[in-house]
Amino acid sequence: DNGMGLYLLVDKSLPVFNVSARISCGTYLDPPDKVGLGDLCGTVMRTGGTEKWTGDEIDEGLAAIGGSVETNVGLTSGSARVNVLSGYIDYGLDVLAEVLRRPVFAQEKIDLAKMQGRTFISRRPGARGAVRDGGRS
């Protein structure tokens, strides 16, 4: 009813469950005075938690089952993924749905993502003060 298209590929060779969603968005939509907003959103949408769980609670729950949920905003689209063992499909889908439908952009996670972004930029080749040898000693 919401217009979402679904494609299903069944492969029972491994006991894993993977779902990937593509989202209509992208950093090309960032306002000129807010460059990096899409990247920040893609990161904190997952790490910031949801109305149901904090980001740290999601991390702990997924680590306990060896699963992952990831979000990303690229140049022309966004994505969200879940990867869990087959026995944890319901939990994995619940986490993914919460992250997509009810994200909480916790300020401390926004600040952390900004700091990580600045660190990444400062380490790029050619950046002032960047490590020139790729970090090799």
Side-chain angles (χ1 to χ4, degrees):
D1 291 344
N2 67 8
M4 181 184 295
L6 299 175
Y7 301 93
L8 179 64
L9 172 64
V10 178
D11 179 354
K12 295 187 179 192
S13 61
L14 294 173
V16 294
F17 178 76
N18 296 300
V19 168
S20 180
R22 183 160 300 225
I23 304 161
S24 179
C25 65
T27 58
Y28 76 96
L29 296 167
D30 289 357
D33 62 332
K34 296 191 187 308
V35 172
L37 181 62
D39 288 325
L40 187 64
C41 178
T43 298
V44 182
M45 178 176 250
R46 163 54 188 85
T47 63
T50 69
E51 293 176 10
K52 190 173 182 179
W53 299 296
T54 67
D56 293 338
E57 289 171 333
I58 292 172
D59 290 342
E60 291 169 11
L62 291 169
I65 64 168
S68 66
V69 171
E70 302 168 7
T71 57
N72 177 58
V73 174
L75 180 62
T76 59
S77 68
S79 65
R81 290 178 287 286
V82 61
N83 182 345
V84 293
L85 291 171
S86 309
Y88 299 102
I89 291 171
D90 290 342
Y91 177 70
L93 286 175
D94 194 23
V95 172
L96 181 65
E98 282 291 313
V99 165
L100 289 173
R101 297 175 70 201
R102 290 181 274 283
V104 173
F105 294 88
Q107 187 62 51
E108 67 271 9
K109 298 298 183 176
I110 292 171
D111 295 341
L112 177 61
K114 284 180 177 180
M115 183 183 67
Q116 289 170 334
R118 285 188 205 106
T119 300
F120 174 76
I121 290 169
S122 71
R123 292 180 179 261
R124 288 192 312 208
R128 176 181 279 173
V131 176
R132 303 258 185 247
D133 64 356
R136 296 180 298 268
S137 301

